[in-house]
Amino acid sequence: MEKLKNKKKIELGDWQTPPDLAIKTCQILLETGICPASIIEPTCGKGSFVLAALETFQSAKCCFGLDISDKYLAETIKKIQPFQNCITTSITQGDFFSFSWEKQIASMPDPVLVIGNPPWVTNSGIGSIGGRNLPKKSNFQNMKGLDAITGKSNFDISEWMIISMLDYLKGRDACLAMLCKTAVARKVLLYGWKNQMPFEWCSIYKINAQQYFDVAVDACFFVVKLGQRTPALHCKIYSDLNHNSFEHLAAFKKNRLIPDIALYEKWKHLIADKDEPFKWRSGIKHDCAKIMELRKENNCFRNGLGERVELEDEYLFPMLKSSDLANGEITSINRYMLVPQHFVGQQTGIIKHNSPKTWDYLQRHSDLLDRRTSVIYRNNPQFSIFGVGDYTFTDWKVAISGFYKNIRFRLIGPYEGKPVVFDDTCYFLSCRSKEEASLLYEILSSQAAEEFFSAYIWWDSKRPITLEILNMLSLVKLADFYGKSALIENVHQDKESHQLIMF
Ligand SMILES: C[S@@+](CC[C@H](N)C(=O)[O-])C[C@H]1O[C@@H](n2cnc3c(N)ncnc32)[C@H](O)[C@@H]1O
């Protein structure tokens, strides 16, 4: 019974908003000059937002609330009883995805405020518990953008709901104000700007979701004002629900969403050109940590299945993971990776002759390795890995974790005579010498580099630092900026003499 209740809670994203948070958000809107005649709460639940909005906005003439769960509706109706003499109210049971929003919105006067907290659940989250609270395909035949969203393997229900509401509000004097994941707010902004939606202004006020909802996710109060004025292609970001907490301005530039446009403008002269000689790489992808990653114990190795194994040295390399790069000093390494190929697609049969114990070990665990589901392993030699090449085996590297919420580069040299490798949560530059690595490390640890990357990083992302962002910065231009053009000269000399640079 309890299990069934939990499943329903997850499927409906049923985390009701605490009344004090609803009141704070309405206060913010009032301070911004929002004076709605109509209030709409599309998933009103127990009515925190309906009540807070009616208490805050004296201008309101009518109010409409919808929720799929009828168990909450009586509570909401009771809460708003005191307003029923002066305001037309309607609290209705219904499914957002099949409700006739066009008709409802057309019957309500401008200015309209759509406010609430749609469910924070993804389609795959719903799928994994066998739920069905999803948009039906037939609903959005005319909504090409939404079609693209539902075509994605994973999307947030709230992203779909917010975008469809914005679509319905086109041409109206309206404001949409929703609590949602910050990642959803970003996707909606990008969608809106790419589709020329009439956003007069937008704001993101970060909230502490742990405090209010006991969930560990980056969330915000997302506000979009729609109207007739020329659309503004920027969004103010606040660190909390307070107008004094303005942090920075995000903007739509060159078809992408730039988190900090001031830093972008300051450092755009350092953007890499097409022929940038330095290239960031991902660490090795093997999708089988239990077998391919081993811990050194005295002279033996222990794999992820807890087996003690003896292997030849040839295919084993000291390895670092994201957590090693992001935290503390690296004084010793006791994790090793089995790297059976030197380049992608290399035949692996040779291991049998070079290192028979390693071959036996791989054969013994071929059931797990052959079961790797990613399509990249199909039609490739047995035990294949990806993200491997000459660049993997250089002694000196500069590396960073893609997962952690800090910009911390590490200078990595060989360990016990072997080059260090990384797993695929890390990125690195492969360097030709210790001197080059030291220089790159020095300039990457500079204020200019930190500010440059900060212009592009959304810290609420699962993987905030990406290859795309790293490769955006020209290390040649950065070296020049810091008067270290010797690096540039060396690189150009190498280019001119047609030496192969192993990046
Ligand atoms: C995060 S809760 C928020 C409730 C309320 N808006 C608040 O802020 O307290 C999400 C609400 O969405 C409702 N809901 C979920 N799926 C729905 C759907 N398809 N149609 C209408 N309401 C839905 C749930 O019943 C739940 O009350």
Side-chain angles (χ1 to χ4, degrees):
M1 189 65 184
E2 195 57 30
K3 217 171 157 189
L4 204 70
K5 246 170 104 181
N6 272 344
K7 187 184 145 185
K8 205 71 203 153
K9 183 171 167 135
I10 292 169
E11 181 178 7
L12 298 182
D14 190 0
W15 274 258
Q16 301 291 313
T17 307
D20 61 323
L21 176 58
I23 290 167
K24 258 190 207 166
T25 56
C26 287
Q27 209 53 47
I28 283 273
L29 294 177
L30 189 68
E31 286 166 18
T32 327
I34 300 295
C35 291
S38 306
I39 293 163
I40 298 174
E41 215 304 22
T43 58
C44 67
K46 290 187 185 177
S48 292
F49 273 106
V50 175
L51 181 63
L54 289 175
E55 283 176 346
T56 309
F57 302 110
Q58 309 281 312
S59 51
K61 293 186 178 61
C62 57
C63 171
F64 175 77
L66 183 91
D67 203 279
I68 201 161
S69 299
D70 46 11
K71 65 175 179 181
Y72 294 142
L73 298 182
E75 202 174 316
T76 306
I77 291 168
K78 197 167 159 209
K79 273 185 194 158
I80 63 169
Q81 206 120 44
F83 297 91
Q84 269 166 354
N85 287 339
C86 42
I87 293 169
T88 316
T89 58
S90 166
I91 303 297
T92 305
Q93 193 273 329
D95 181 354
F96 181 99
F97 301 117
S98 53
F99 187 73
S100 172
W101 285 112
E102 243 159 359
K103 210 166 135 199
Q104 179 61 44
I105 293 171
S107 72
M108 299 177 81
D110 277 353
V112 178
L113 169 64
V114 176
I115 191 165
N117 177 6
W120 301 4
V121 59
T122 60
N123 65 326
S124 57
I126 289 178
S128 69
I129 54 165
R132 272 186 272 159
N133 188 25
L134 291 164
K136 325 275 175 297
K137 283 250 172 208
S138 55
N139 282 351
F140 47 84
Q141 268 157 0
N142 296 324
M143 295 184 181
K144 285 209 180 89
L146 294 174
D147 221 353
I149 290 171
T150 40
K152 288 191 287 194
S153 58
N154 199 15
F155 66 91
D156 274 274
I157 299 300
S158 58
E159 181 189 351
W160 200 95
M161 287 179 167
I162 294 173
I163 288 179
S164 38
M165 271 295 158
L166 290 170
D167 263 332
Y168 292 127
L169 292 171
K170 265 186 201 155
R172 300 290 297 266
D173 176 4
C175 174
L176 177 136
M178 295 274 179
L179 291 178
C180 60
K181 293 182 198 166
T182 316
V184 166
R186 284 195 277 118
K187 286 181 200 159
V188 172
L189 279 176
L190 195 58
Y191 172 89
W193 282 331
K194 277 188 176 172
N195 290 281
Q196 289 89 40
M197 279 195 166
F199 294 173
E200 277 185 6
W201 53 259
C202 325
S203 303
I204 285 177
Y205 301 88
K206 295 181 193 165
I207 62 156
N208 184 340
Q210 193 72 58
Q211 177 195 336
Y212 289 116
F213 297 101
D214 200 20
V215 290
V217 61
D218 287 292
C220 68
F221 182 52
F222 175 45
V223 187
V224 178
K225 173 73 181 71
L226 293 123
Q228 311 295 337
R229 278 190 281 153
T230 321
L233 298 179
H234 53 253
C235 174
K236 284 185 178 167
I237 315 265
Y238 296 87
S239 62
D240 61 36
L241 281 168
N242 184 334
H243 279 123
N244 296 329
S245 71
F246 173 74
E247 262 183 353
H248 51 89
L249 202 61
F252 186 57
K253 198 101 195 168
K254 297 190 175 160
N255 229 24
R256 66 182 290 157
L257 195 60
I258 306 280
D260 192 328
I261 195 68
L263 288 180
Y264 167 87
E265 292 295 345
K266 183 172 174 188
W267 296 110
K268 64 183 180 193
H269 59 281
L270 297 184
I271 293 177
D273 300 322
K274 278 204 175 73
D275 60 351
E276 172 73 19
F278 299 101
K279 192 173 172 193
W280 286 91
R281 304 281 186 176
S282 287
I284 293 173
K285 180 176 171 61
H286 51 60
D287 288 309
C288 199
K290 281 196 166 85
I291 306 304
M292 305 300 255
E293 293 179 13
L294 304 116
R295 280 192 179 272
K296 195 168 189 182
E297 289 183 0
N298 304 320
N299 282 334
C300 250
F301 292 94
R302 195 178 289 278
N303 69 12
L305 300 175
E307 299 169 344
R308 269 169 74 86
V309 284
E310 239 181 85
L311 301 175
E312 297 88 350
D313 191 45
E314 181 164 355
Y315 293 94
L316 285 175
F317 292 85
M319 71 162 281
L320 294 172
K321 296 165 95 79
S322 265
S323 49
D324 303 317
L325 294 180
N327 306 321
E329 291 312 308
I330 304 165
T331 46
S332 66
I333 300 178
N334 80 336
R335 211 183 271 115
Y336 281 71
M337 191 191 289
L338 206 166
V339 184
Q341 291 172 304
H342 269 243
F343 54 88
V344 173
Q346 185 183 19
Q347 290 306 322
T348 47
I350 186 111
I351 302 170
K352 188 176 180 177
H353 306 285
N354 292 347
S355 303
K357 287 182 196 164
T358 302
W359 180 252
D360 282 352
Y361 174 72
L362 287 168
Q363 286 297 336
R364 254 199 335 275
H365 295 294
S366 57
D367 53 336
L368 284 177
L369 287 155
D370 294 347
R371 233 187 284 148
R372 293 177 294 174
T373 47
S374 172
V375 286
I376 57 173
Y377 298 107
R378 273 186 227 150
N379 305 324
N380 262 303
Q382 205 183 13
F383 317 133
S384 276
I385 56 171
F386 286 83
V388 65
D390 284 343
Y391 52 82
T392 308
F393 304 99
T394 52
D395 276 346
W396 287 92
K397 291 157 178 142
V398 179
I400 190 167
S401 154
F403 274 114
Y404 281 72
K405 294 187 189 260
N406 58 28
I407 307 176
R408 184 177 189 194
F409 293 96
R410 307 296 291 247
L411 176 63
I412 308 290
Y415 185 73
E416 294 180 346
K418 289 198 99 171
V420 173
V421 300
F422 307 98
D423 72 6
D424 64 348
T425 64
C426 308
Y427 302 114
F428 66 98
L429 285 170
S430 174
C431 305
R432 291 167 297 176
S433 63
K434 182 177 179 181
E435 290 66 38
E436 184 176 84
S438 304
L439 186 56
L440 290 172
Y441 169 72
E442 187 191 328
I443 59 173
L444 279 164
S445 304
S446 66
Q447 191 191 340
E450 182 172 344
E451 288 191 359
F452 181 94
F453 291 127
S454 298
Y456 299 95
I457 296 173
W458 288 101
W459 288 111
D460 58 275
S461 303
K462 259 203 194 121
R463 197 188 271 251
I465 297 171
T466 62
L467 264 192
E468 191 201 359
I469 293 175
L470 290 167
N471 279 320
M472 235 157 200
L473 173 63
S474 165
L475 294 169
V476 174
K477 291 180 189 174
L478 182 64
D480 197 23
F481 179 79
Y482 280 111
K484 313 263 180 190
S485 36
L487 172 73
I488 306 166
E489 279 159 25
N490 284 341
V491 169
H492 285 306
Q493 264 171 22
D494 278 350
K495 268 179 128 187
E496 275 156 28
S497 60
H498 299 288
Q499 282 183 16
L500 182 68
I501 306 172
M502 295 204 297
F503 289 113

